[in-house]
Amino acid sequence: MKTIAVLTSGGDAPGMNAAVRAVVRTACENDMKVYGVIRGYNGLINGDFIEMNLRTVSDIINRGGTILYSARSVEFATEEGMRKAIRTCQEWGIEGVVVIGGDGSFRGARDLSERGIPCVGVPGTIDNDIACCNYTIGYDTCLNTIMEMVDRLRDTSESHDRCTVVEVMGRKAGYLALNAGIACGATSILVPEVEFDVQKHIIERMEKTQRTGKKHFIIVAAEGVRLDVDDLAKEIQAKTGVESRSLILGHVQRGGSPTVKDRVMATRMGNYAVKLLMDNIGNRVVAAQKEEIVDYDIFEALNMTKGIDLELYNVAHEVSI
């Protein structure tokens, strides 16, 4: 291939810029033309491209978000939108596309691949919920952001003998809640993969630790458990007598300068994706498995499933009393 494009799609994640940088510089160093697609699949439909070179990606490795911007495209989900994107690629001479995003983005890449535009997916999502991959770009930065925020909340919770219920991101996956909860010493961790009972898993645990002299508590809940954290805080206060507050961390979790791990993993994945296209290999998803960078057939990757680490969940339960 002589001409490729790179886009970011879905929710932004720290480290996406590092991946874009790696794609562009690997392509340039191998005499390939590379276009940056603005606002994901919408840009691919409308031909909203910028030709990129070594200097257009200078000083972005440390920046959160994505310089290519992101958007969710309703039109691309239609057959007509797909045909428009393919015509645009053909008009610009684009022979392959690197798609940085999550499962939804990879479905778009799969559909393009089926229609003759080879694509390589690079996993960029804070939720770490790509089944074929044990690590996704943005996850480590997000965990550190949550840890910093909850550490600050712990200071004021301890000062007032309070319980603070913190909702973190993770609509379908509890990896953020589980690992951040352990790192922050949460009394209870609620994840969508494990059924819970408020009385057993929160109230009784708090009462048990109260008997040992503990007076302040942190509860971490993934948004996917689908409960109102404000209502939960009120219930905790009513049943335990401990003043309780709630906080939804929200989109602050997506921002910030990426950590070393996210910068390095994004660089490795972006480089690997271009090397696949250089060999005329598409229809793949790049993945991290035990610190190694590998790739899977995109159809196989989308059909994989990934569960929570129940052993780690049990460890959290044992050490959080």
Side-chain angles (χ1 to χ4, degrees):
M1 294 186 186
K2 291 298 181 182
T3 303
I4 65 171
V6 56
L7 64 84
T8 53
S9 176
D12 61 297
M16 279 185 165
N17 283 327
V20 170
R21 173 180 178 272
V23 168
V24 171
R25 289 195 168 171
T26 302
C28 290
E29 284 295 285
N30 288 279
D31 300 318
M32 300 171 78
K33 181 182 287 187
V34 55
Y35 291 108
V37 183
I38 304 302
R39 293 183 176 85
Y41 289 115
N42 281 335
L44 203 62
I45 290 172
N46 300 320
D48 193 0
F49 303 152
I50 54 171
E51 186 171 349
M52 306 187 79
N53 57 46
L54 296 176
R55 299 284 69 83
T56 57
V57 291
S58 293
D59 302 321
I60 68 169
I61 195 169
N62 60 311
R63 291 169 57 183
T66 162
I67 64 165
L68 296 178
Y69 305 102
S70 187
R72 303 185 190 277
S73 177
V74 175
E75 186 178 6
F76 187 77
T78 68
E79 188 60 35
E80 177 57 28
M82 192 79 61
R83 284 198 292 267
K84 285 183 181 178
I86 292 169
R87 284 197 299 269
T88 303
C89 287
Q90 292 169 343
E91 289 168 3
W92 286 73
I94 293 169
E95 302 166 274
V97 182
V98 177
V99 175
I100 305 168
D103 269 343
S105 305
F106 292 168
R107 283 176 169 72
R110 174 200 61 193
D111 294 341
L112 276 178
S113 296
E114 283 187 303
R115 291 160 176 79
I117 304 294
C119 295
V120 176
V122 173
T125 169
I126 61 170
D127 291 337
N128 198 34
D129 60 350
I130 303 297
C132 68
C133 193
N134 61 22
Y135 185 81
T136 61
I137 297 167
Y139 178 58
D140 186 62
T141 305
C142 183
L143 277 178
N144 278 277
T145 298
I146 295 171
M147 182 180 69
E148 180 182 352
M149 296 298 102
V150 177
D151 282 350
R152 292 169 183 261
L153 288 168
R154 177 181 290 280
D155 290 343
T156 189
S157 292
E158 182 178 7
S159 297
H160 296 274
D161 293 337
R162 285 181 185 144
C163 173
T164 303
V165 182
V166 184
E167 180 184 286
V168 302
M169 285 184 166
R171 278 181 293 180
K172 297 180 180 179
Y175 309 110
L176 286 172
L178 176 57
N179 285 276
I182 291 173
C184 299
T187 301
S188 293
I189 301 169
L190 310 181
V191 296
E193 296 89 344
V194 181
E195 290 188 15
F196 68 92
D197 176 84
V198 171
Q199 181 63 33
K200 178 181 178 181
H201 292 99
I202 299 178
I203 305 302
E204 291 179 8
R205 289 180 65 77
M206 286 179 60
E207 291 173 342
K208 180 179 179 180
T209 57
Q210 278 180 309
R211 291 192 290 270
T212 65
K214 189 174 180 65
K215 297 182 182 299
H216 65 279
F217 308 87
I218 298 290
I219 311 297
V220 174
E223 62 182 325
V225 299
R226 302 199 181 281
L227 55 73
D228 186 299
V229 290
D230 189 48
D231 288 343
L232 178 58
K234 290 175 181 177
E235 182 177 355
I236 290 171
Q237 182 166 322
K239 291 184 175 180
T240 65
V242 176
E243 182 185 0
S244 300
R245 302 285 179 87
S246 63
L247 180 70
I248 299 174
L249 288 186
H251 286 82
V252 67
Q253 296 165 85
R254 288 197 181 279
S257 181
T259 59
V260 169
K261 182 168 184 177
D262 275 327
R263 298 183 197 193
V264 172
M265 293 298 289
T267 300
R268 293 175 66 191
M269 288 180 175
N271 174 267
Y272 191 104
V274 176
K275 294 294 179 64
L276 288 173
L277 292 178
M278 284 172 57
D279 291 331
N280 292 312
I281 298 172
N283 316 339
R284 309 296 290 180
V285 171
V286 176
Q289 289 289 349
K290 298 179 180 178
E291 300 302 320
E292 294 296 320
I293 306 300
V294 298
D295 59 280
Y296 291 92
D297 175 87
I298 200 166
F299 299 93
E300 177 188 358
L302 286 170
N303 287 325
M304 289 181 176
T305 58
K306 181 179 179 180
I308 200 79
D309 187 340
L310 291 177
E311 182 179 351
L312 186 60
Y313 180 83
N314 291 331
V315 168
H317 187 80
E318 286 186 321
V319 304
S320 62
I321 55 174

